[in-house]
Amino acid sequence: MDSTQAALLKRVRSWDQDALTQVYDEYAPALYRYAYRLTGHRETAQEIVSETFHRFLLALKRGGGPDENLRAWLYRVAHNLVIDQRRRQPPLDPLPIEEAPDVAVHEAYDERVIRREMVAQARAALQHLTSLQQQVVALRFLEGLSNEEVAEIVGRNVGAVKALQHRALNALRRILEGDDGD
Amino acid sequence: METDERLAPGEGDIRLDRAMDLLRTVPAPDPADWLRARECFLAEARRLAQEPVSAACVPRHTTWKTRLAAFLSIDWRERPMMALAKVLVVIAVLFGGGVGAVNAMEDSLPGSPLYAAKLSIEDWRLSRSGDNGAVMERTLAMAQQRVDEARRLTERGDPVPTELANRYEMHVHLALQTMGTLAEPARSQVQSRLDDELALQLQTMMQVAERARQLRGVDEAPGIALMTRTMQQTRSALSDGGDPTIDPAQDQMQQRQRDQLQQPQQDQAQQQQPEQTHQRQQEQTRQQQSEQEQAGPQQQDQPPSQPQQEQEQQQEQSRQLQQDQPQPQQQQQQEQEQEQQQEQEQQQEQEQQQEQEQQHAAPDQQPSGSSTPPTSGSKR
C-alpha cells in the first residue's frame, strides 16, 4: 500500500469530509462501469454503487472497512452486491432500441438492433461463467487492471488469477462459438 | 481491440474480441441521479461522523434476560414509534404499580398495616410544608381525612378508636395555633374557613353517630363523642371571639384528663357507699339509745318494743358487715370511738347498778316500783 493510499484511508477513518468526497469521486465511476458491465442495467448499477458506499460508511463506523487496499475492498463489495442482485431477481429486460444508451446516434436502426443483439449475447456468455471467473474477466479485460491488481481484489495470487483467466476465456470462446453455431 | 495483447489465448478469435468490445461500452449514468447519490453519501457520512461512538453489538436473544434487555433497549433513530411504545409500557408498569400502592395506603383505615405508613407520610408532608399557609392547608386536610376515616369505619361497622379522635384533636389544635400566628386579614379569613369546615365536619359526625346507633346499637361511641365535642368546643371558642389558640382543644384534653383522674375516685366512693349507710344506721341507733336512756329506767324493765327489736337487728347486721368487709382507716376510727362510747355506757350502767344496790341496802330511801333489771343494751 502506497503512502498516498494510507494517508487517504487515515483521513477517511477520521471522517474527513474532503477525503470521503475524494474517495467517492475517484471510485464511484469505476464501480458504476463494473456493475453495469455485469448487470447490463443502468439503474441497477447506480443502486449497487450507492449501496457499496453505504456499506463502506457503516463499516467505518463499526471500526471495520478496508485495512490497506481501498479499491479492492470496494470492488469486492460491489461484486457481492451484483451476485445478490442476480439471485433476487431475473435479468432485467434491456431498454428499447431507441433508448439504448450504448448505441451510437449515427447508426441506422438495423445496425442498432444487430449491435444490441450481439451485446446481449456477449453478456449472456459472460454470465455463464462462475462468479470468480466473471470477476476476473471483468476486472482484467473490461476494467483494464493488471494481474497483480486483480489478484489483490479477488484475494488470490497472480498465478491463480492467470489460470482463472485462461479457463474463463476458453469457456467464453466455447459459449460464443456454440451460440454462433446455433 | 485495445486488449489484444492481454487476450493472448484468444488471439485470432474475432468473436471473443468483438464481445469484449461490446461489453466495454458503458452508458453514462443519469446526472441528476448521480449527483443525488453523491449528496446522500456525503450527508450520511456527516451524520455518522457526529455520532460519538459506534452502536453496541446486540447480543443474541437466547435467554429471558437478553430478551428483556433487548425489549428495554431504545433506539430512537431506527425505530422511533417502537421506542415510544416501550417508554409508555415502562411508565405504565412503574407508575401504575406505584399509584396502586399509594392509593391502597391512602385508603387505609385504623387497624390496617398500611395505616401507620399513611400517618408517617402525612407527618412528613406536614413537616415539609413551608409557610403557615401551607401548614394550615395541610392540617385542615388531615383533619378532614380523620373525619372521613371515622365515617368509613362506622359504615364498615367498626368502632371509631379514641386514637383517631385524639389525632383529630391534635390537627384542630395545630390549626388553631397556626391561625394565631397569622396576621389580619388572613387570620379572619382562615378563622371563617375553619369555622365552616368544622360545621361541615360536625354535621358529618352527627350523621356518623346516628349511623353508629343504627348499626351497632350504641348510643354514643367514645371516639365519635370525643370528635364531636372537639368540634363543638372549637366552634364555640371561635364564635366567642376569644383567643382560640390556647383554650378549646387544650382545655378539652385537660378536662378529659381530669375526668380520667376522677373516675377511680367515683368508683371508690361507690364502693364505700354501703359502709357509709351502715355508719348512718349506727348513728341513728345511738341516738335512739340515748333517747331511751333519757326517757327513764322504767322502760328498761319492759321487754323491748318492736322498733327496738328492729334496731337491734340492724345493729347486728351492721356488725356482721363490718366484720366481713375491709374497713378504711376512717371507719376504723369511728368504730374505735363507738367502742369507747359503749365502754362509757357500760361504766354508767355499772354505776347505776351500784347505786341501786345501795338503795336496796336502805329500803326506806328506795322509791317504790324501781328495779334495775339487766338491760339488753349491756350485752352490746
Side-chain angles (χ1 to χ4, degrees):
Chain A
M1 184 174 66
D2 57 358
S3 58
T4 305
Q5 189 84 356
L8 180 62
L9 265 179
K10 187 176 181 180
R11 290 170 57 198
V12 164
R13 290 192 178 281
S14 62
W15 297 96
D16 186 346
Q17 295 295 309
D18 294 337
L20 290 168
T21 305
Q22 179 182 349
V23 168
Y24 189 89
D25 293 340
E26 182 176 349
Y27 294 104
L31 292 175
Y32 168 76
R33 290 194 301 269
Y34 178 77
Y36 180 85
R37 284 165 180 154
L38 291 179
T39 61
H41 200 265
R42 191 170 57 180
E43 282 73 21
T44 303
Q46 288 183 342
E47 290 175 2
I48 288 173
V49 173
S50 297
E51 181 64 22
T52 300
F53 280 98
H54 171 66
R55 294 190 179 190
F56 171 62
L57 293 177
L58 293 181
L60 290 178
K61 192 63 183 175
R62 295 192 191 101
D67 293 332
E68 294 180 353
N69 196 329
L70 175 60
R71 184 175 63 174
W73 192 93
L74 291 174
Y75 270 110
R76 277 199 297 269
V77 173
H79 185 76
N80 293 333
L81 291 173
V82 168
I83 301 301
D84 292 341
Q85 192 272 338
R86 284 181 185 170
R87 289 173 181 168
R88 283 198 303 268
Q89 62 184 23
L92 299 173
D93 295 334
L95 293 174
I97 297 298
E98 293 80 3
E99 301 177 7
D102 53 347
V103 177
V105 178
H106 62 276
E107 288 182 338
Y109 183 80
D110 296 341
E111 293 177 348
R112 293 184 193 177
V113 173
I114 295 172
R115 183 180 178 86
R116 185 181 182 83
E117 185 67 23
M118 294 173 64
V119 171
Q121 290 178 356
R123 185 164 291 113
L126 183 64
Q127 291 178 359
H128 275 83
L129 301 177
T130 65
S131 174
L132 189 57
Q133 289 174 346
Q134 289 182 44
Q135 192 174 11
V136 169
V137 169
L139 293 173
R140 178 75 177 86
F141 303 111
L142 301 180
E143 297 298 320
L145 302 181
S146 65
N147 285 329
E148 289 76 13
E149 292 171 332
V150 173
E152 196 174 20
I153 292 173
V154 300
R156 304 291 176 92
N157 55 35
V158 176
V161 169
K162 289 181 179 177
L164 284 169
Q165 289 178 29
H166 181 71
R167 289 195 292 269
L169 291 177
N170 287 337
L172 277 177
R173 193 177 296 111
R174 287 195 300 272
I175 293 170
L176 291 173
E177 288 175 352
D179 291 340
D180 190 56
D182 296 336
Chain B
M1 183 175 182
E2 63 183 8
T3 58
D4 287 346
E5 295 176 358
R6 297 171 193 164
L7 294 175
E11 221 171 16
D13 194 335
I14 299 174
R15 293 191 185 89
L16 184 60
D17 292 346
R18 189 169 182 179
M20 290 297 173
D21 288 337
L22 293 172
L23 290 176
R24 284 192 193 99
T25 306
V26 175
D30 182 25
D33 293 342
W34 189 258
L35 289 176
R36 191 181 309 114
R38 184 175 183 273
E39 290 301 321
C40 287
F41 166 77
L42 296 177
E44 185 179 10
R46 284 192 293 271
R47 181 177 61 78
L48 292 175
Q50 292 175 356
E51 292 183 359
V53 293
S54 60
C57 59
V58 179
R60 297 179 69 85
H61 303 165
T62 55
T63 63
W64 68 269
K65 291 181 180 178
T66 55
R67 289 175 189 273
L68 181 61
F71 175 76
L72 294 178
S73 64
I74 296 174
D75 189 355
W76 290 100
R77 191 176 64 250
E78 297 293 333
R79 299 181 187 176
M81 294 307 295
M82 179 62 75
L84 180 61
K86 290 178 180 178
V87 169
L88 292 177
V89 167
V90 171
I91 289 175
V93 170
L94 292 180
F95 288 86
V99 168
V102 171
N103 287 337
M105 190 176 62
E106 291 290 339
D107 294 338
S108 62
L109 292 173
S112 170
L114 293 175
Y115 189 70
K118 176 184 178 179
L119 296 183
S120 300
I121 289 179
E122 279 186 355
D123 293 339
W124 179 78
R125 286 175 178 172
L126 181 64
S127 64
R128 299 291 295 177
S129 300
D131 55 352
N132 289 333
V135 172
M136 193 73 195
E137 292 290 336
R138 179 64 60 189
T139 306
L140 292 178
M142 292 163 72
Q144 182 62 41
Q145 186 75 15
R146 300 290 88 76
V147 173
D148 293 339
E149 290 170 359
R151 179 182 55 77
R152 291 168 56 199
L153 282 172
T154 305
E155 289 292 335
R156 207 171 65 176
D158 294 336
V160 176
T162 54
E163 291 79 7
L164 180 66
N166 292 335
R167 194 166 178 85
Y168 173 80
E169 187 178 331
M170 192 173 64
H171 298 332
V172 173
H173 185 57
L174 181 58
L176 292 175
Q177 280 184 336
T178 307
M179 188 184 72
T181 60
L182 298 176
E184 294 293 346
R187 178 172 176 170
S188 300
Q189 296 175 352
V190 170
Q191 182 174 351
S192 176
R193 181 187 169 190
L194 180 59
D195 188 52
D196 294 340
E197 295 210 2
L198 285 173
L200 293 175
Q201 292 173 359
L202 184 59
Q203 186 177 359
T204 304
M205 290 309 297
M206 293 297 182
Q207 298 173 355
V208 169
E210 180 64 24
R211 186 64 175 163
R213 275 192 291 272
Q214 294 176 356
L215 292 177
R216 304 178 61 239
V218 178
D219 289 339
E220 192 173 11
I224 298 175
L226 193 56
M227 293 178 71
T228 306
R229 191 168 61 182
T230 302
M231 296 171 187
Q232 291 172 342
Q233 291 184 354
T234 308
R235 285 201 70 200
S236 63
L238 290 173
S239 61
D240 291 342
D243 188 4
T245 59
I246 50 177
D247 38 358
Q250 195 168 5
D251 290 347
Q252 189 175 349
M253 292 181 66
Q254 293 175 355
Q255 178 65 29
R256 193 167 62 251
Q257 291 175 355
R258 284 196 295 270
D259 294 343
Q260 291 175 354
L261 291 174
Q262 289 175 357
Q263 187 67 25
Q265 296 176 358
Q266 293 176 357
D267 295 342
Q268 187 176 1
Q270 290 177 356
Q271 292 177 355
Q272 293 176 354
Q273 189 171 3
E275 299 173 358
Q276 292 176 353
T277 304
H278 294 310
Q279 291 176 0
R280 283 195 297 270
Q281 291 176 354
Q282 290 176 355
E283 289 175 358
Q284 291 176 357
T285 305
R286 282 195 299 271
Q287 289 176 358
Q288 291 173 356
Q289 288 177 355
S290 61
E291 289 174 358
Q292 290 174 1
E293 292 172 356
Q294 291 176 358
Q298 294 177 353
Q299 296 178 356
Q300 294 177 354
D301 296 336
Q302 298 175 356
S305 61
Q306 184 66 24
Q308 288 177 347
Q309 291 177 352
E310 293 176 355
Q311 290 176 359
E312 289 177 356
Q313 290 176 355
Q314 290 176 354
Q315 290 174 356
E316 290 294 332
Q317 291 176 355
S318 65
R319 285 193 202 97
Q320 291 177 356
L321 286 172
Q322 289 174 359
Q323 291 174 355
D324 295 337
Q325 295 179 355
Q327 298 174 356
Q329 294 180 354
Q330 294 178 355
Q331 189 174 357
Q332 290 178 354
Q333 292 176 356
Q334 291 176 355
E335 289 178 355
Q336 290 176 358
E337 291 174 358
Q338 290 176 0
E339 290 175 355
Q340 291 175 356
Q341 289 178 356
Q342 290 173 0
E343 290 175 355
Q344 291 176 358
E345 290 174 357
Q346 288 177 355
Q347 289 177 356
Q348 290 176 356
E349 289 176 356
Q350 290 175 357
E351 290 175 355
Q352 290 176 357
Q353 288 177 355
Q354 289 175 359
E355 289 177 356
Q356 289 177 358
E357 289 175 357
Q358 291 175 358
Q359 289 176 358
H360 286 297
D364 296 336
Q365 297 177 358
Q366 178 69 25
S368 59
S370 67
S371 64
T372 56
T375 58
S376 62
S378 62
K379 296 178 183 178
R380 287 183 297 177

